[in-house]
Amino acid sequence: MKKLFALILAMAMAFSLVACGGSSDSDTDDDGDASSASSASTSEDEDESGTESEGEAEASSTDDTSSDGELIVVGFAQVGHESDWRTASTESCQSVFTEENGYELVFVDCDQDSAAQLEAVRSFIQQEVDYIIIDPIVSTGWDTVLTECEEAGIPVIVIDRTIDDSDKYAAWVGSDFTTEGLAAGEWLKAYADAKGIEELNILVIEGTTGASATIGRTEGFQEIADKYGWTILDSQDGDFTEAGGQEIMESYCKSYEGQFNVVICQNDNEAFGAMTAMTNAGVTYGVDGDVILISFDACTAGLQYVQSGDINADFECNPLAAPFVDEVIKQLEAGETPETTVYMEEHWYTYDDTVSTFEVDGVEQSVTVVTDEIVEAQY
Ligand code: GYE
């Protein structure tokens, strides 16, 4: 919009990306299911952010620029490029926030560096963008910079990971990470029972420390481990990368040789690294192996390993949030109040139907056995 000039001057600090050939709008529409807070089972900051979203909606309604035909400038402070999930998230934004769709996207890859992410948000304020999207690397340390966004009159939309120490944003679109962890635990219980495995000795490779995705998955799974009296031998940060997963698993294979029969990786890329480390150490895993391997994300390559039986179960985290963010922006532009909490819809994928249903907090969960069609349709 009117800030295009300032934006061009600030290009040295950020990459401006236009549509990339990766995925089309119809791709995102097919897979980007989500449910609103009203139908979601859990929400911690729903009420707090609900109050705030009204204020943000009012601020933006006085700044409705869609009618003048100029592009809506959106700054996106992305976590980094650490995983397949992240690539899918970036491509989702790049395919939705295009000039064709009335947007100018200012994209910053923060390379998993929290300080760089705060700097990116401040650069967006300087550039006077119209909206700021943040996928927060860590969940705390946000109130000061979000206050600065508020003072500048720029609505913030948070995607994927949550911000837990500030409610100064218009809406959040993402996943219920605690439920993902609970589901992984309850599925494991049902699977171990079906296979007659009585003792579970578990190694966890966590995601980035301080990320809400890590916190939710860790706490959810721990709750089930406590409930059934399982032993978690160790739980270390693999930073959501393949290299991190491999490094942690290499050290686990040495320290816990012959002592573990379950490995939980908090994303697919860590699972790929863990598989390499276990193969090198002569440890067998998957449906025919000695170790049950569980992952999160369920991106294409993750599902291929579920289909081949190398990963026993993969708990989906849907990265296609951009169409819902587009919806939020349209509502703010129209002076409406958007839903403050939107949960993405997700599936629990397995190799076979050894377990076909299980319960999480009394709610029945169904399991999806991976097929060629599912792999082909996945991000
Ligand atoms: O699981 C992982 C990525 O925040 C949910 O970040 C996201 C996580 C995802 O690096 O692959």
Side-chain angles (χ1 to χ4, degrees), residues 53 124 139 146 152 159 165 177 199 207 225 282 288 291 293 303 352 357 378:
S53 88
F124 295 152
S139 64
L146 291 195
I159 64 166
D165 63 353
F177 305 116
E199 204 182 307
D288 297 322
V291 171
L293 181 58
L303 289 187
D352 65 16
T357 60
Q378 196 70 331

Side-chain angles (χ1 to χ4, degrees), residues 52 55-56 59 125 145-156 167-169:
E52 192 53 41
E56 297 284 13
I125 297 173
V145 77
L146 291 195
T147 304
E148 291 166 26
C149 295
E150 191 177 62
E151 283 167 3
I154 305 173
V156 171
D167 58 7
K168 297 187 176 76
Y169 51 87

Side-chain angles (χ1 to χ4, degrees), residues 202-206 221 232 234-236 248 252 263-264 266:
I202 302 163
L203 289 167
V204 179
I205 302 180
E206 294 183 22
F221 186 79
I232 296 186
D234 212 335
S235 191
Q236 289 183 30
I248 302 290
Y252 282 168
V263 171
I264 312 284
Q266 287 185 354

